[in-house]
Amino acid sequence: MKLSLILLAILALFLPNNADAFARGTATTRSQPLTATSTQLYAAAKKKTAKKKKAASKKAAAPLEVEPLKKPELVAEIAERLDITKVAADAALTAVIETIADSIVDKKKVSLPGFGTFQLKQRAARKGRNPQTGEELDIAASLAPSFSAAKGLKERANE
């Protein structure tokens, strides 16, 4: 209650003499001219540019609808193509995934011609911020698995 009274008192200092005009939203007079620092002007221009880029990217890129293919569905597809049981297809898929994962962990590069390359990439240490507090954090260097699609796969995807 006290805070709202204080806010009303502060608003009364900045309102034009005609408080009714302010209440109607038609008050346009100011006793002092508006001034902005170069930092504020730069921030406003940057925000406006970001909005334009965002709007342009929305227009340019139509949303891509991707149908998820889960492991059981993939196993069924493999079994059908190879004319084997689902149990055998599941065992084969699991073996391939584990072999690729083990090779990547052992810092080996796995190349599958026409499909792509799996490898381990190093991420450099960097500074980050806690979004809740704004506190600066040190993010340690790390290793991350990556996949790079082969030219043939990219061409098939864009057909």
Side-chain angles (χ1 to χ4, degrees), residues 3-87:
L3 181 62
S4 61
L5 290 176
I6 293 171
L7 288 173
L8 285 173
I10 292 172
L11 283 173
L13 292 173
F14 295 103
L15 289 177
N17 290 338
N18 188 354
D20 292 335
F22 182 80
R24 288 189 309 271
T26 59
T28 57
T29 59
R30 282 199 171 279
S31 58
Q32 295 177 347
L34 288 175
T35 58
T37 64
S38 61
T39 305
Q40 290 170 329
L41 292 173
Y42 175 74
K46 190 174 181 180
K47 190 175 182 180
K48 189 174 182 181
T49 304
K51 282 184 180 180
K52 284 183 182 178
K53 285 182 181 178
K54 189 174 182 180
S57 69
K58 281 185 179 179
K59 289 178 185 176
L64 178 65
E65 292 191 27
V66 179
E67 183 180 333
L69 180 68
K70 297 182 180 168
K71 186 176 178 181
E73 297 163 348
L74 181 59
V75 167
E77 183 72 25
I78 292 169
E80 184 180 320
R81 284 188 183 198
L82 297 177
D83 196 28
I84 59 175
T85 65
K86 288 184 182 180
V87 173

Side-chain angles (χ1 to χ4, degrees), residues 74-152:
L74 181 59
V75 167
E77 183 72 25
I78 292 169
E80 184 180 320
R81 284 188 183 198
L82 297 177
D83 196 28
I84 59 175
T85 65
K86 288 184 182 180
V87 173
D90 186 34
L93 179 61
T94 302
V96 169
I97 291 172
E98 286 177 1
T99 303
I100 291 172
D102 290 344
S103 298
I104 292 172
V105 169
D106 292 339
K107 297 180 182 167
K108 294 179 183 175
K109 185 177 185 178
V110 180
S111 295
L112 302 172
F115 185 71
T117 303
F118 297 90
Q119 65 183 359
L120 202 58
K121 288 193 175 180
Q122 188 170 4
R123 289 185 177 171
R126 62 192 191 279
K127 299 279 185 187
R129 289 208 178 270
N130 180 338
Q132 292 180 340
T133 63
E135 178 185 353
E136 191 171 277
L137 304 170
D138 290 325
I139 301 172
S142 64
L143 299 174
S146 70
F147 173 76
S148 178
K151 181 180 176 185

